[in-house]
Amino acid sequence: MSAVIVEEGPDKGAIWHFGEPNQEQRALAAGTAWADLSHRAVITVTGEDRLQWLHDLTTQHVSGLIAGVWTSALVLDAQGHVEHQLFLVDDGTTTWIHTEIDKSAELVSYLEKMRFMLRVEVKDVSADYSVLRAPGIPDSIGGPYAIVPKNELEEMKSAFASVHTQVGTWALEAERIAAGRARLLFDTDYKSIPNELGFLNNAVHMNKGCYRGQE
């Protein structure tokens, strides 16, 4: 069966399923599945101060984030409500973030306002890079993920498809819900706080310094 596309909501335009969602879920659980998440926004942060800056702005301990290790983080408002959910990795020179496309402009605007005199630069690079859910057993943040240049995307997708099963967001969402991982815009509203969504000790680090909304 050909791909069925998501017609509305945060995943609009993504592949929902290929007609066999149960088989897709089994492949995902077995670590033999991949998915095209090109509908998600990709943001980069560069500059010498990037990790400490993100550490100070988010709920996650990222000041010493090891290159190549993915993690998740939240940005809270002053009252502690969840405003943004970030999935990020650093490659040694750039921090790569993927997030909900409907919230990306707001996130970039907030980060730009918080630069002050720090050596950081923020860019929305969604036009040039895509997110893939790479093959592998699901990890604690829903990965493994890969961020791929658009001009290499089809080659990477073909490589994945040659040995693995492509799945849609239906399978990904089923795995996420079963694992108890909350998702911005799906499980949250403007009043949601991390404590009620299972974010503590995951996207929220319990032993880091202060950040907006902590109290």
Side-chain angles (χ1 to χ4, degrees), residues 59-211:
T59 59
Q60 188 57 270
H61 195 301
V62 296
S63 59
L65 186 63
I66 299 171
V69 176
W70 281 89
T71 191
S72 61
L74 306 174
V75 173
L76 309 181
D77 69 13
Q79 288 72 45
H81 303 130
V82 179
E83 286 196 331
H84 300 284
Q85 184 178 27
L86 290 61
F87 299 88
L88 62 153
V89 67
D90 194 84
D91 65 9
T93 60
T94 301
T95 301
W96 299 82
I97 298 167
H98 75 81
T99 191
E100 304 290 347
I101 190 70
D102 292 343
K103 298 282 286 183
S104 60
E106 180 185 330
L107 175 59
V108 169
S109 177
Y110 169 71
L111 293 176
E112 286 285 358
K113 291 175 183 176
M114 301 304 293
R115 288 176 58 193
F116 303 112
M117 299 297 291
L118 295 174
R119 296 166 295 180
V120 294
E121 184 175 356
V122 180
K123 289 184 179 180
D124 186 331
V125 296
S126 304
D128 299 313
Y129 291 87
S130 288
V131 184
L132 296 178
R133 200 296 191 174
I137 298 294
D139 62 25
S140 62
I141 63 170
Y145 297 112
I147 294 180
V148 182
K150 293 281 191 184
N151 60 7
E152 300 176 11
L153 182 60
E154 292 307 315
E155 181 181 357
M156 182 65 75
K157 288 165 61 174
S158 295
F160 283 171
S162 66
V163 290
H164 298 290
T165 301
Q166 185 175 3
V167 303
T169 59
W170 191 345
L172 295 175
E173 284 298 290
E175 186 279 324
R176 177 185 69 79
I177 293 167
R181 296 191 309 272
R183 181 178 171 188
L184 187 72
L185 303 181
F186 282 74
D187 307 304
T188 65
D189 60 22
Y190 70 97
K191 297 184 293 184
S192 297
I193 60 175
N195 312 53
E196 64 190 10
L197 295 168
F199 284 129
L200 301 187
N201 291 308
N202 190 351
V204 177
H205 195 281
M206 301 302 291
N207 295 305
K208 62 165 286 186
C210 296
Y211 49 86

